[in-house]
PDB file of all heavy atoms in Angstrom:
ATOM      1  N   PHE A   1      -3.932  22.692  29.341  1.00 96.00           N
ATOM      2  CA  PHE A   1      -2.789  22.031  29.977  1.00 96.00           C
ATOM      3  C   PHE A   1      -2.996  21.893  31.485  1.00 96.00           C
ATOM      4  O   PHE A   1      -2.470  20.960  32.103  1.00 96.00           O
ATOM      5  CB  PHE A   1      -1.502  22.810  29.701  1.00 96.00           C
ATOM      6  CG  PHE A   1      -1.121  22.860  28.243  1.00 96.00           C
ATOM      7  CD1 PHE A   1      -0.459  23.957  27.713  1.00 96.00           C
ATOM      8  CD2 PHE A   1      -1.423  21.807  27.395  1.00 96.00           C
ATOM      9  CE1 PHE A   1      -0.099  23.999  26.376  1.00 96.00           C
ATOM     10  CE2 PHE A   1      -1.078  21.836  26.057  1.00 96.00           C
ATOM     11  CZ  PHE A   1      -0.412  22.939  25.544  1.00 96.00           C
ATOM     12  N   ALA A   2      -3.760  22.820  32.067  1.00 95.00           N
ATOM     13  CA  ALA A   2      -3.996  22.769  33.515  1.00 95.00           C
ATOM     14  C   ALA A   2      -5.009  21.695  33.897  1.00 95.00           C
ATOM     15  O   ALA A   2      -5.081  21.293  35.056  1.00 95.00           O
ATOM     16  CB  ALA A   2      -4.482  24.134  34.011  1.00 95.00           C
ATOM     17  N   GLY A   3      -5.802  21.225  32.925  1.00 95.00           N
ATOM     18  CA  GLY A   3      -6.786  20.176  33.188  1.00 95.00           C
ATOM     19  C   GLY A   3      -6.254  18.814  32.801  1.00 95.00           C
ATOM     20  O   GLY A   3      -5.037  18.583  32.736  1.00 95.00           O
ATOM     21  N   LEU A   4      -7.180  17.898  32.537  1.00 97.00           N
ATOM     22  CA  LEU A   4      -6.792  16.523  32.203  1.00 97.00           C
ATOM     23  C   LEU A   4      -6.449  16.422  30.717  1.00 97.00           C
ATOM     24  O   LEU A   4      -7.248  16.790  29.854  1.00 97.00           O
ATOM     25  CB  LEU A   4      -7.925  15.550  32.523  1.00 97.00           C
ATOM     26  CG  LEU A   4      -7.664  14.081  32.130  1.00 97.00           C
ATOM     27  CD1 LEU A   4      -6.490  13.522  32.914  1.00 97.00           C
ATOM     28  CD2 LEU A   4      -8.906  13.226  32.339  1.00 97.00           C
ATOM     29  N   GLY A   5      -5.269  15.922  30.440  1.00 97.00           N
ATOM     30  CA  GLY A   5      -4.859  15.665  29.068  1.00 97.00           C
ATOM     31  C   GLY A   5      -4.180  14.311  28.963  1.00 97.00           C
ATOM     32  O   GLY A   5      -3.501  13.877  29.899  1.00 97.00           O
ATOM     33  N   VAL A   6      -4.391  13.626  27.849  1.00 98.00           N
ATOM     34  CA  VAL A   6      -3.751  12.336  27.610  1.00 98.00           C
ATOM     35  C   VAL A   6      -3.160  12.340  26.206  1.00 98.00           C
ATOM     36  O   VAL A   6      -3.530  13.149  25.349  1.00 98.00           O
ATOM     37  CB  VAL A   6      -4.731  11.152  27.749  1.00 98.00           C
ATOM     38  CG1 VAL A   6      -5.367  11.128  29.121  1.00 98.00           C
ATOM     39  CG2 VAL A   6      -5.801  11.195  26.658  1.00 98.00           C
ATOM     40  N   ARG A   7      -2.238  11.418  25.996  1.00 98.00           N
ATOM     41  CA  ARG A   7      -1.726  11.157  24.659  1.00 98.00           C
ATOM     42  C   ARG A   7      -2.430   9.923  24.123  1.00 98.00           C
ATOM     43  O   ARG A   7      -2.599   8.938  24.842  1.00 98.00           O
ATOM     44  CB  ARG A   7      -0.208  10.938  24.689  1.00 98.00           C
ATOM     45  CG  ARG A   7       0.561  12.190  25.112  1.00 98.00           C
ATOM     46  CD  ARG A   7       2.038  11.905  25.322  1.00 98.00           C
ATOM     47  NE  ARG A   7       2.692  13.077  25.899  1.00 98.00           N
ATOM     48  CZ  ARG A   7       3.346  14.004  25.206  1.00 98.00           C
ATOM     49  NH1 ARG A   7       3.473  13.866  23.898  1.00 98.00           N
ATOM     50  NH2 ARG A   7       3.904  15.046  25.793  1.00 98.00           N
ATOM     51  N   THR A   8      -2.850  10.008  22.867  1.00 98.00           N
ATOM     52  CA  THR A   8      -3.488   8.861  22.233  1.00 98.00           C
ATOM     53  C   THR A   8      -2.503   8.204  21.268  1.00 98.00           C
ATOM     54  O   THR A   8      -1.464   8.777  20.938  1.00 98.00           O
ATOM     55  CB  THR A   8      -4.747   9.288  21.470  1.00 98.00           C
ATOM     56  OG1 THR A   8      -4.399  10.247  20.458  1.00 98.00           O
ATOM     57  CG2 THR A   8      -5.769   9.898  22.411  1.00 98.00           C
ATOM     58  N   SER A   9      -2.832   7.015  20.819  1.00 97.00           N
ATOM     59  CA  SER A   9      -1.984   6.296  19.870  1.00 97.00           C
ATOM     60  C   SER A   9      -2.824   5.904  18.657  1.00 97.00           C
ATOM     61  O   SER A   9      -4.045   6.045  18.648  1.00 97.00           O
ATOM     62  CB  SER A   9      -1.363   5.055  20.517  1.00 97.00           C
ATOM     63  OG  SER A   9      -2.384   4.126  20.876  1.00 97.00           O
ATOM     64  N   ALA A  10      -2.147   5.403  17.642  1.00 96.00           N
ATOM     65  CA  ALA A  10      -2.833   4.961  16.428  1.00 96.00           C
ATOM     66  C   ALA A  10      -2.081   3.771  15.859  1.00 96.00           C
ATOM     67  O   ALA A  10      -1.205   3.190  16.519  1.00 96.00           O
ATOM     68  CB  ALA A  10      -2.921   6.103  15.419  1.00 96.00           C
ATOM     69  N   GLU A  11      -2.393   3.426  14.621  1.00 94.00           N
ATOM     70  CA  GLU A  11      -1.722   2.297  13.980  1.00 94.00           C
ATOM     71  C   GLU A  11      -0.221   2.560  13.848  1.00 94.00           C
ATOM     72  O   GLU A  11       0.230   3.708  13.808  1.00 94.00           O
ATOM     73  CB  GLU A  11      -2.332   2.054  12.596  1.00 94.00           C
ATOM     74  CG  GLU A  11      -3.583   1.202  12.608  1.00 94.00           C
ATOM     75  CD  GLU A  11      -4.764   1.847  13.296  1.00 94.00           C
ATOM     76  OE1 GLU A  11      -4.817   3.082  13.412  1.00 94.00           O
ATOM     77  OE2 GLU A  11      -5.663   1.112  13.736  1.00 94.00           O
ATOM     78  N   LYS A  12       0.563   1.492  13.762  1.00 90.00           N
ATOM     79  CA  LYS A  12       2.014   1.610  13.657  1.00 90.00           C
ATOM     80  C   LYS A  12       2.488   1.863  12.234  1.00 90.00           C
ATOM     81  O   LYS A  12       3.498   2.536  12.020  1.00 90.00           O
ATOM     82  CB  LYS A  12       2.686   0.333  14.185  1.00 90.00           C
ATOM     83  CG  LYS A  12       2.335  -0.028  15.622  1.00 90.00           C
ATOM     84  CD  LYS A  12       2.849   1.005  16.602  1.00 90.00           C
ATOM     85  CE  LYS A  12       2.568   0.581  18.048  1.00 90.00           C
ATOM     86  NZ  LYS A  12       3.011   1.597  19.022  1.00 90.00           N
ATOM     87  N   ASP A  13       1.780   1.291  11.239  1.00 91.00           N
ATOM     88  CA  ASP A  13       2.235   1.435   9.859  1.00 91.00           C
ATOM     89  C   ASP A  13       1.915   2.834   9.348  1.00 91.00           C
ATOM     90  O   ASP A  13       0.804   3.339   9.525  1.00 91.00           O
ATOM     91  CB  ASP A  13       1.612   0.371   8.955  1.00 91.00           C
ATOM     92  CG  ASP A  13       0.091   0.428   8.957  1.00 91.00           C
ATOM     93  OD1 ASP A  13      -0.490   0.276  10.047  1.00 91.00           O
ATOM     94  OD2 ASP A  13      -0.492   0.636   7.872  1.00 91.00           O
ATOM     95  N   TYR A  14       2.890   3.448   8.675  1.00 89.00           N
ATOM     96  CA  TYR A  14       2.753   4.842   8.275  1.00 89.00           C
ATOM     97  C   TYR A  14       1.610   5.039   7.285  1.00 89.00           C
ATOM     98  O   TYR A  14       0.970   6.098   7.268  1.00 89.00           O
ATOM     99  CB  TYR A  14       4.072   5.358   7.661  1.00 89.00           C
ATOM    100  CG  TYR A  14       4.075   6.856   7.490  1.00 89.00           C
ATOM    101  CD1 TYR A  14       4.289   7.693   8.591  1.00 89.00           C
ATOM    102  CD2 TYR A  14       3.843   7.442   6.246  1.00 89.00           C
ATOM    103  CE1 TYR A  14       4.272   9.068   8.455  1.00 89.00           C
ATOM    104  CE2 TYR A  14       3.822   8.818   6.103  1.00 89.00           C
ATOM    105  CZ  TYR A  14       4.044   9.626   7.200  1.00 89.00           C
ATOM    106  OH  TYR A  14       4.023  10.998   7.063  1.00 89.00           O
ATOM    107  N   GLU A  15       1.324   4.030   6.460  1.00 87.00           N
ATOM    108  CA  GLU A  15       0.258   4.158   5.471  1.00 87.00           C
ATOM    109  C   GLU A  15      -1.106   4.378   6.128  1.00 87.00           C
ATOM    110  O   GLU A  15      -2.012   4.949   5.520  1.00 87.00           O
ATOM    111  CB  GLU A  15       0.200   2.916   4.581  1.00 87.00           C
ATOM    112  CG  GLU A  15       1.371   2.767   3.616  1.00 87.00           C
ATOM    113  CD  GLU A  15       2.670   2.363   4.305  1.00 87.00           C
ATOM    114  OE1 GLU A  15       2.606   1.866   5.464  1.00 87.00           O
ATOM    115  OE2 GLU A  15       3.744   2.535   3.705  1.00 87.00           O
ATOM    116  N   SER A  16      -1.264   3.936   7.375  1.00 91.00           N
ATOM    117  CA  SER A  16      -2.539   4.104   8.080  1.00 91.00           C
ATOM    118  C   SER A  16      -2.601   5.391   8.885  1.00 91.00           C
ATOM    119  O   SER A  16      -3.642   5.706   9.468  1.00 91.00           O
ATOM    120  CB  SER A  16      -2.793   2.908   9.012  1.00 91.00           C
ATOM    121  OG  SER A  16      -2.964   1.715   8.272  1.00 91.00           O
ATOM    122  N   LEU A  17      -1.484   6.120   8.930  1.00 93.00           N
ATOM    123  CA  LEU A  17      -1.456   7.357   9.703  1.00 93.00           C
ATOM    124  C   LEU A  17      -1.944   8.523   8.845  1.00 93.00           C
ATOM    125  O   LEU A  17      -1.190   9.444   8.509  1.00 93.00           O
ATOM    126  CB  LEU A  17      -0.044   7.621  10.231  1.00 93.00           C
ATOM    127  CG  LEU A  17       0.483   6.597  11.237  1.00 93.00           C
ATOM    128  CD1 LEU A  17       1.872   6.981  11.713  1.00 93.00           C
ATOM    129  CD2 LEU A  17      -0.474   6.456  12.426  1.00 93.00           C
ATOM    130  N   GLU A  18      -3.209   8.450   8.486  1.00 94.00           N
ATOM    131  CA  GLU A  18      -3.861   9.505   7.730  1.00 94.00           C
ATOM    132  C   GLU A  18      -5.105   9.948   8.501  1.00 94.00           C
ATOM    133  O   GLU A  18      -5.795   9.123   9.108  1.00 94.00           O
ATOM    134  CB  GLU A  18      -4.276   9.018   6.343  1.00 94.00           C
ATOM    135  CG  GLU A  18      -3.131   8.632   5.422  1.00 94.00           C
ATOM    136  CD  GLU A  18      -2.346   9.840   4.897  1.00 94.00           C
ATOM    137  OE1 GLU A  18      -2.676  10.987   5.281  1.00 94.00           O
ATOM    138  OE2 GLU A  18      -1.400   9.630   4.121  1.00 94.00           O
ATOM    139  N   PRO A  19      -5.408  11.238   8.495  1.00 95.00           N
ATOM    140  CA  PRO A  19      -6.568  11.700   9.281  1.00 95.00           C
ATOM    141  C   PRO A  19      -7.883  11.110   8.817  1.00 95.00           C
ATOM    142  O   PRO A  19      -8.779  10.882   9.633  1.00 95.00           O
ATOM    143  CB  PRO A  19      -6.531  13.229   9.077  1.00 95.00           C
ATOM    144  CG  PRO A  19      -5.762  13.432   7.807  1.00 95.00           C
ATOM    145  CD  PRO A  19      -4.734  12.340   7.797  1.00 95.00           C
ATOM    146  N   TRP A  20      -8.014  10.837   7.503  1.00 95.00           N
ATOM    147  CA  TRP A  20      -9.268  10.259   7.009  1.00 95.00           C
ATOM    148  C   TRP A  20      -9.418   8.796   7.402  1.00 95.00           C
ATOM    149  O   TRP A  20     -10.461   8.207   7.188  1.00 95.00           O
ATOM    150  CB  TRP A  20      -9.371  10.420   5.495  1.00 95.00           C
ATOM    151  CG  TRP A  20      -8.164   9.981   4.716  1.00 95.00           C
ATOM    152  CD1 TRP A  20      -7.838   8.719   4.338  1.00 95.00           C
ATOM    153  CD2 TRP A  20      -7.124  10.818   4.213  1.00 95.00           C
ATOM    154  NE1 TRP A  20      -6.671   8.705   3.631  1.00 95.00           N
ATOM    155  CE2 TRP A  20      -6.199  10.001   3.537  1.00 95.00           C
ATOM    156  CE3 TRP A  20      -6.888  12.199   4.264  1.00 95.00           C
ATOM    157  CZ2 TRP A  20      -5.046  10.502   2.920  1.00 95.00           C
ATOM    158  CZ3 TRP A  20      -5.747  12.697   3.656  1.00 95.00           C
ATOM    159  CH2 TRP A  20      -4.849  11.852   2.996  1.00 95.00           C
ATOM    160  N   ILE A  21      -8.368   8.215   7.981  1.00 96.00           N
ATOM    161  CA  ILE A  21      -8.458   6.864   8.547  1.00 96.00           C
ATOM    162  C   ILE A  21      -8.694   6.930  10.048  1.00 96.00           C
ATOM    163  O   ILE A  21      -9.496   6.171  10.599  1.00 96.00           O
ATOM    164  CB  ILE A  21      -7.169   6.062   8.251  1.00 96.00           C
ATOM    165  CG1 ILE A  21      -6.965   5.905   6.740  1.00 96.00           C
ATOM    166  CG2 ILE A  21      -7.202   4.698   8.928  1.00 96.00           C
ATOM    167  CD1 ILE A  21      -5.649   5.254   6.361  1.00 96.00           C
ATOM    168  N   GLN A  22      -8.015   7.850  10.720  1.00 97.00           N
ATOM    169  CA  GLN A  22      -8.079   7.897  12.180  1.00 97.00           C
ATOM    170  C   GLN A  22      -9.356   8.541  12.709  1.00 97.00           C
ATOM    171  O   GLN A  22      -9.884   8.118  13.738  1.00 97.00           O
ATOM    172  CB  GLN A  22      -6.848   8.635  12.724  1.00 97.00           C
ATOM    173  CG  GLN A  22      -5.530   7.956  12.380  1.00 97.00           C
ATOM    174  CD  GLN A  22      -5.488   6.500  12.830  1.00 97.00           C
ATOM    175  OE1 GLN A  22      -5.967   6.162  13.913  1.00 97.00           O
ATOM    176  NE2 GLN A  22      -4.919   5.630  12.000  1.00 97.00           N
ATOM    177  N   TRP A  23      -9.894   9.563  12.013  1.00 98.00           N
ATOM    178  CA  TRP A  23     -11.136  10.154  12.521  1.00 98.00           C
ATOM    179  C   TRP A  23     -12.316   9.193  12.445  1.00 98.00           C
ATOM    180  O   TRP A  23     -13.163   9.178  13.362  1.00 98.00           O
ATOM    181  CB  TRP A  23     -11.429  11.482  11.828  1.00 98.00           C
ATOM    182  CG  TRP A  23     -10.503  12.569  12.294  1.00 98.00           C
ATOM    183  CD1 TRP A  23      -9.537  13.213  11.580  1.00 98.00           C
ATOM    184  CD2 TRP A  23     -10.424  13.107  13.624  1.00 98.00           C
ATOM    185  NE1 TRP A  23      -8.863  14.121  12.372  1.00 98.00           N
ATOM    186  CE2 TRP A  23      -9.385  14.073  13.631  1.00 98.00           C
ATOM    187  CE3 TRP A  23     -11.123  12.872  14.808  1.00 98.00           C
ATOM    188  CZ2 TRP A  23      -9.048  14.801  14.771  1.00 98.00           C
ATOM    189  CZ3 TRP A  23     -10.782  13.591  15.952  1.00 98.00           C
ATOM    190  CH2 TRP A  23      -9.758  14.546  15.925  1.00 98.00           C
ATOM    191  N   PRO A  24     -12.438   8.369  11.417  1.00 98.00           N
ATOM    192  CA  PRO A  24     -13.474   7.336  11.486  1.00 98.00           C
ATOM    193  C   PRO A  24     -13.320   6.407  12.686  1.00 98.00           C
ATOM    194  O   PRO A  24     -14.321   5.868  13.197  1.00 98.00           O
ATOM    195  CB  PRO A  24     -13.314   6.579  10.163  1.00 98.00           C
ATOM    196  CG  PRO A  24     -12.828   7.625   9.217  1.00 98.00           C
ATOM    197  CD  PRO A  24     -11.881   8.452  10.050  1.00 98.00           C
ATOM    198  N   SER A  25     -12.088   6.197  13.159  1.00 98.00           N
ATOM    199  CA  SER A  25     -11.901   5.413  14.382  1.00 98.00           C
ATOM    200  C   SER A  25     -12.509   6.130  15.578  1.00 98.00           C
ATOM    201  O   SER A  25     -13.159   5.514  16.432  1.00 98.00           O
ATOM    202  CB  SER A  25     -10.403   5.167  14.628  1.00 98.00           C
ATOM    203  OG  SER A  25      -9.884   4.213  13.729  1.00 98.00           O
ATOM    204  N   VAL A  26     -12.319   7.447  15.650  1.00 98.00           N
ATOM    205  CA  VAL A  26     -12.930   8.229  16.730  1.00 98.00           C
ATOM    206  C   VAL A  26     -14.447   8.152  16.641  1.00 98.00           C
ATOM    207  O   VAL A  26     -15.139   7.999  17.657  1.00 98.00           O
ATOM    208  CB  VAL A  26     -12.463   9.702  16.653  1.00 98.00           C
ATOM    209  CG1 VAL A  26     -13.194  10.552  17.690  1.00 98.00           C
ATOM    210  CG2 VAL A  26     -10.951   9.802  16.854  1.00 98.00           C
ATOM    211  N   HIS A  27     -14.976   8.239  15.443  1.00 98.00           N
ATOM    212  CA  HIS A  27     -16.427   8.284  15.263  1.00 98.00           C
ATOM    213  C   HIS A  27     -17.096   6.921  15.427  1.00 98.00           C
ATOM    214  O   HIS A  27     -18.297   6.860  15.699  1.00 98.00           O
ATOM    215  CB  HIS A  27     -16.767   8.828  13.868  1.00 98.00           C
ATOM    216  CG  HIS A  27     -16.201  10.188  13.605  1.00 98.00           C
ATOM    217  ND1 HIS A  27     -15.878  10.640  12.345  1.00 98.00           N
ATOM    218  CD2 HIS A  27     -15.886  11.200  14.460  1.00 98.00           C
ATOM    219  CE1 HIS A  27     -15.397  11.870  12.423  1.00 98.00           C
ATOM    220  NE2 HIS A  27     -15.388  12.228  13.688  1.00 98.00           N
ATOM    221  N   SER A  28     -16.334   5.838  15.259  1.00 98.00           N
ATOM    222  CA  SER A  28     -16.935   4.497  15.291  1.00 98.00           C
ATOM    223  C   SER A  28     -16.467   3.624  16.449  1.00 98.00           C
ATOM    224  O   SER A  28     -17.098   2.605  16.748  1.00 98.00           O
ATOM    225  CB  SER A  28     -16.626   3.761  13.982  1.00 98.00           C
ATOM    226  OG  SER A  28     -15.232   3.460  13.895  1.00 98.00           O
ATOM    227  N   GLY A  29     -15.329   3.955  17.060  1.00 98.00           N
ATOM    228  CA  GLY A  29     -14.781   3.110  18.109  1.00 98.00           C
ATOM    229  C   GLY A  29     -14.059   1.885  17.580  1.00 98.00           C
ATOM    230  O   GLY A  29     -13.843   0.918  18.323  1.00 98.00           O
ATOM    231  N   LEU A  30     -13.648   1.913  16.311  1.00 97.00           N
ATOM    232  CA  LEU A  30     -13.003   0.771  15.671  1.00 97.00           C
ATOM    233  C   LEU A  30     -11.618   1.149  15.163  1.00 97.00           C
ATOM    234  O   LEU A  30     -11.368   2.299  14.800  1.00 97.00           O
ATOM    235  CB  LEU A  30     -13.858   0.275  14.497  1.00 97.00           C
ATOM    236  CG  LEU A  30     -15.298  -0.125  14.820  1.00 97.00           C
ATOM    237  CD1 LEU A  30     -16.064  -0.430  13.547  1.00 97.00           C
ATOM    238  CD2 LEU A  30     -15.322  -1.323  15.762  1.00 97.00           C
ATOM    239  N   THR A  31     -10.724   0.183  15.117  1.00 97.00           N
ATOM    240  CA  THR A  31      -9.418   0.410  14.530  1.00 97.00           C
ATOM    241  C   THR A  31      -9.542   0.506  13.008  1.00 97.00           C
ATOM    242  O   THR A  31     -10.590   0.200  12.433  1.00 97.00           O
ATOM    243  CB  THR A  31      -8.444  -0.730  14.873  1.00 97.00           C
ATOM    244  OG1 THR A  31      -8.926  -1.941  14.259  1.00 97.00           O
ATOM    245  CG2 THR A  31      -8.332  -0.922  16.379  1.00 97.00           C
ATOM    246  N   ALA A  32      -8.458   0.906  12.361  1.00 95.00           N
ATOM    247  CA  ALA A  32      -8.473   1.015  10.903  1.00 95.00           C
ATOM    248  C   ALA A  32      -8.822  -0.326  10.261  1.00 95.00           C
ATOM    249  O   ALA A  32      -9.617  -0.387   9.314  1.00 95.00           O
ATOM    250  CB  ALA A  32      -7.116   1.519  10.407  1.00 95.00           C
ATOM    251  N   ARG A  33      -8.234  -1.401  10.757  1.00 95.00           N
ATOM    252  CA  ARG A  33      -8.508  -2.717  10.182  1.00 95.00           C
ATOM    253  C   ARG A  33      -9.961  -3.114  10.387  1.00 95.00           C
ATOM    254  O   ARG A  33     -10.562  -3.776   9.532  1.00 95.00           O
ATOM    255  CB  ARG A  33      -7.585  -3.763  10.812  1.00 95.00           C
ATOM    256  CG  ARG A  33      -7.797  -5.170  10.280  1.00 95.00           C
ATOM    257  CD  ARG A  33      -6.765  -6.125  10.828  1.00 95.00           C
ATOM    258  NE  ARG A  33      -5.426  -5.815  10.355  1.00 95.00           N
ATOM    259  CZ  ARG A  33      -4.335  -6.508  10.667  1.00 95.00           C
ATOM    260  NH1 ARG A  33      -4.436  -7.569  11.457  1.00 95.00           N
ATOM    261  NH2 ARG A  33      -3.161  -6.150  10.197  1.00 95.00           N
ATOM    262  N   GLU A  34     -10.554  -2.681  11.491  1.00 96.00           N
ATOM    263  CA  GLU A  34     -11.944  -3.053  11.776  1.00 96.00           C
ATOM    264  C   GLU A  34     -12.941  -2.244  10.957  1.00 96.00           C
ATOM    265  O   GLU A  34     -13.924  -2.786  10.462  1.00 96.00           O
ATOM    266  CB  GLU A  34     -12.230  -2.870  13.272  1.00 96.00           C
ATOM    267  CG  GLU A  34     -11.503  -3.895  14.150  1.00 96.00           C
ATOM    268  CD  GLU A  34     -11.555  -3.543  15.629  1.00 96.00           C
ATOM    269  OE1 GLU A  34     -11.749  -2.344  15.955  1.00 96.00           O
ATOM    270  OE2 GLU A  34     -11.384  -4.446  16.463  1.00 96.00           O
ATOM    271  N   HIS A  35     -12.700  -0.940  10.801  1.00 96.00           N
ATOM    272  CA  HIS A  35     -13.672  -0.153  10.024  1.00 96.00           C
ATOM    273  C   HIS A  35     -13.375  -0.173   8.527  1.00 96.00           C
ATOM    274  O   HIS A  35     -14.251   0.093   7.706  1.00 96.00           O
ATOM    275  CB  HIS A  35     -13.817   1.271  10.548  1.00 96.00           C
ATOM    276  CG  HIS A  35     -12.595   2.143  10.479  1.00 96.00           C
ATOM    277  ND1 HIS A  35     -11.917   2.420   9.303  1.00 96.00           N
ATOM    278  CD2 HIS A  35     -11.951   2.852  11.457  1.00 96.00           C
ATOM    279  CE1 HIS A  35     -10.924   3.259   9.548  1.00 96.00           C
ATOM    280  NE2 HIS A  35     -10.904   3.508  10.839  1.00 96.00           N
ATOM    281  N   ASN A  36     -12.138  -0.474   8.149  1.00 94.00           N
ATOM    282  CA  ASN A  36     -11.766  -0.676   6.744  1.00 94.00           C
ATOM    283  C   ASN A  36     -12.046   0.555   5.871  1.00 94.00           C
ATOM    284  O   ASN A  36     -12.390   0.442   4.697  1.00 94.00           O
ATOM    285  CB  ASN A  36     -12.503  -1.891   6.168  1.00 94.00           C
ATOM    286  CG  ASN A  36     -11.819  -2.440   4.920  1.00 94.00           C
ATOM    287  OD1 ASN A  36     -10.594  -2.411   4.815  1.00 94.00           O
ATOM    288  ND2 ASN A  36     -12.599  -2.928   3.972  1.00 94.00           N
ATOM    289  N   ILE A  37     -11.869   1.734   6.453  1.00 94.00           N
ATOM    290  CA  ILE A  37     -12.031   2.990   5.716  1.00 94.00           C
ATOM    291  C   ILE A  37     -10.636   3.581   5.527  1.00 94.00           C
ATOM    292  O   ILE A  37     -10.019   4.047   6.492  1.00 94.00           O
ATOM    293  CB  ILE A  37     -12.941   3.972   6.469  1.00 94.00           C
ATOM    294  CG1 ILE A  37     -14.341   3.381   6.614  1.00 94.00           C
ATOM    295  CG2 ILE A  37     -13.005   5.326   5.760  1.00 94.00           C
ATOM    296  CD1 ILE A  37     -15.247   4.169   7.536  1.00 94.00           C
ATOM    297  N   PHE A  38     -10.149   3.558   4.294  1.00 91.00           N
ATOM    298  CA  PHE A  38      -8.765   3.954   4.058  1.00 91.00           C
ATOM    299  C   PHE A  38      -8.609   5.118   3.083  1.00 91.00           C
ATOM    300  O   PHE A  38      -7.492   5.543   2.805  1.00 91.00           O
ATOM    301  CB  PHE A  38      -7.959   2.754   3.546  1.00 91.00           C
ATOM    302  CG  PHE A  38      -7.762   1.694   4.588  1.00 91.00           C
ATOM    303  CD1 PHE A  38      -8.548   0.552   4.606  1.00 91.00           C
ATOM    304  CD2 PHE A  38      -6.803   1.842   5.578  1.00 91.00           C
ATOM    305  CE1 PHE A  38      -8.376  -0.432   5.577  1.00 91.00           C
ATOM    306  CE2 PHE A  38      -6.626   0.875   6.560  1.00 91.00           C
ATOM    307  CZ  PHE A  38      -7.404  -0.266   6.551  1.00 91.00           C
ATOM    308  N   ARG A  39      -9.714   5.628   2.556  1.00 88.00           N
ATOM    309  CA  ARG A  39      -9.638   6.760   1.634  1.00 88.00           C
ATOM    310  C   ARG A  39     -10.697   7.793   2.004  1.00 88.00           C
ATOM    311  O   ARG A  39     -11.748   7.463   2.563  1.00 88.00           O
ATOM    312  CB  ARG A  39      -9.865   6.303   0.181  1.00 88.00           C
ATOM    313  CG  ARG A  39      -8.861   5.278  -0.317  1.00 88.00           C
ATOM    314  CD  ARG A  39      -7.465   5.829  -0.434  1.00 88.00           C
ATOM    315  NE  ARG A  39      -6.551   4.882  -1.068  1.00 88.00           N
ATOM    316  CZ  ARG A  39      -5.239   5.086  -1.207  1.00 88.00           C
ATOM    317  NH1 ARG A  39      -4.692   6.197  -0.754  1.00 88.00           N
ATOM    318  NH2 ARG A  39      -4.471   4.177  -1.798  1.00 88.00           N
TER     319      ARG A  39
END
């Protein structure tokens, strides 16, 4: 907390708010629609 911290965002639709969708975004630099990994 004493260092640099930011809040990140993700997709708006609840169906895409799954960790197995969002971590591939971190690993690839792509949104859910771009990487198309949903399971």
Side-chain angles (χ1 to χ4, degrees):
F1 296 148
L4 176 63
V6 302
R7 295 172 188 264
T8 60
S9 64
E11 276 66 23
K12 303 295 184 182
D13 59 301
Y14 192 77
E15 290 73 18
S16 295
L17 295 181
E18 295 287 2
W20 50 82
I21 299 174
Q22 298 305 320
W23 287 113
S25 287
V26 175
H27 302 152
S28 68
L30 303 173
T31 65
R33 180 174 294 181
E34 290 168 337
H35 63 58
N36 200 35
I37 297 170
F38 291 100
R39 300 293 187 185

